[in-house]
Amino acid sequence: MNTSKLRGPLDTQLIIVGILVGLAIRLWIAWQPTDELSWRANADDAYYYFKLAQHLGSGVGATFDGVNLTNGFHPLYALLLVPIFQYAGSDIDLGVHLALTLVALVSSVTAWPIYLAGKYVHSPLAGTIGALTHLLNPWVVILTMTGVESAVYVCCFAWTVMVYVRWRSHKQSLRGIVLIGLPAGLTVMARSEGMFLLAGIILDRLVVDRHVPGRAVAFAVLSGLFTTIVCLPWVCWSVFQFGSPLQISASAIMLHNYAAMPADAVAAFEWYVGRVFWFLPRYGYKILLFNLPLVLLFGFVIGRSWLTRQRSLKIAWSSVSQYQFLILPFMCITAYYNLVLLHQQHWYFNALVLIFTLIGASLGAEAMLRSENVVYLQQTYQRIATSILCALFVIVIVLMWQRGVYPNQKDWSILGRQIASTDLRYERLGATDNGIVGFFCRCTMVNLDGVMNNAAVAYYRVHGYKEESILQFAREQHVAYIWDVGYWDFMPLDPDQVQIVRRIQFAAGTLYQIR
């Protein structure tokens, strides 16, 4: 099949249209009222970052509540937010809009390295399919506009993949290895699981250059060295402050998720196996859901080939063998969340969606190029298909916006504003899942679940993660009021434990005054 038709300006035109439409819908979300954003699009964790950036910019330090230092965040995104919230000052709503604007821009720009990766690995058609899938996949928008580190992480991940496949298909210079190690380091700083990508790349070189081990070792050492240089300041700070390079957020989540594990070994094993088998089907379902555009693409191509009686359509799987280094990151990420952390959040799937986008785009392009239906290669057809995709994309996003991604967070921002307008703003409050309320209340709100509080995790490791220990820790932190998100069921406590003095009822929850 002659692919010269695919090497004209059409590819760039389609990507530009996709970027404009994709960026427009992302910016539309970014500038919606913050009280709507806080439950229709943003995760509660996003407001941990926003409050953290405020404190970093004002010189308070790496802390969410202004009291306890923490390393429970991914540093690259946090650092990018600092100048935004310094500029916004007391206008916290403007800060949220500008932060989400950054997310929208970074997510849209990511289409370019995805296009280049597809072009280097397969063809401009593969690059175009990959870029448009990223830009016009509604779930990519949902996953990135949560306001957490997703967009920055996916962008760094895509650039690292692109630089590596380009280096592998061109002159393999030492300078190119440096250019692989630097974005790989940024990927790790964007999200710690990015280390699995570097591991996959190094393993790929060890396999490809297995007959020239010196070359493979040199690549591993150099790429690892420059990745380490990028990560070293963060690792040193974390070790100096907390005695460990590991982020406390993962430890906190594991404390939460393993709190119900029985003490008996047999019962604990049965409990663990039950949890794993509960997570795996949901994990697979979400992978299919978040990659639905690719599923539909393959269904369309295969269905059309069947209807036109071209039933001998075959895919040359070797065309995507250059992405084999992504197998290890996929397996490690899947194992970590389903076998170790026992936890799933929407944004945990970002790297997986990108991996499937890259591989699926090359497979889809291969199917089109091998098909006898040359209509796929006609400019008019491609433009009509892109227009339909853009229209469907906008419609789906609007429908999902109406439903809201986090309906349980509705009114949390309003509660924070209500607290900020009362004398309670001068009290020390505490809560679990308190990113949104803690950001909008303009007060000291101690993070009690430990995700952004290293001191809390240290306490729970000794006393366990349960209601009594949460309340005891709150008392040790001199918390005057606790906000009940609705997850707890307070029972009468022993006289020597924390006592509830009174309850203050709000629409989004209850504040308990304790002593």
Side-chain angles (χ1 to χ4, degrees), residues 431-443:
T432 61
D433 300 284
N434 60 338
I436 295 173
V437 177
F439 177 77
F440 285 102
C441 75
R442 299 175 184 260
C443 63

Side-chain angles (χ1 to χ4, degrees), residues 14 27 32 40 101 109 131 142 149 219 236 253 256 261 308-309 377 393 426 434 490 497:
L14 288 176
L27 290 176
Q32 292 298 306
R40 292 190 187 275
T101 298
V109 169
I142 296 301
E149 69 281 347
F219 178 92
C236 290
I253 293 172
H256 306 168
M261 176 180 280
T308 55
R309 297 184 180 181
L377 310 182
F393 167 70
Y426 302 110
N434 60 338
F490 285 107
Q497 294 182 320

Side-chain angles (χ1 to χ4, degrees), residues 185-204:
L186 291 176
T187 304
V188 176
M189 289 295 92
R191 189 165 175 85
S192 301
E193 67 188 39
M195 68 180 71
F196 297 137
L197 174 60
L198 178 63
I201 290 174
I202 292 176
L203 179 62
D204 184 60

Side-chain angles (χ1 to χ4, degrees), residues 14 17-18 21-22 132 136 384-395:
L14 288 176
V17 171
V21 175
L132 290 178
L136 303 179
I384 293 174
T386 303
S387 299
I388 294 174
L389 284 176
C390 289
L392 291 174
F393 167 70
V394 172
I395 292 171

Side-chain angles (χ1 to χ4, degrees), residues 164 167-168 172 201-213 215-216 321-322 324-325:
Y164 176 60
W167 175 85
R168 193 171 58 181
Q172 299 180 2
I201 290 174
I202 292 176
L203 179 62
D204 184 60
R205 294 320 305 165
L206 293 174
V207 172
V208 173
D209 292 332
R210 59 187 178 276
H211 300 301
V212 191
R215 181 188 302 175
S321 62
Q322 293 189 64
Q324 64 187 4
F325 65 92

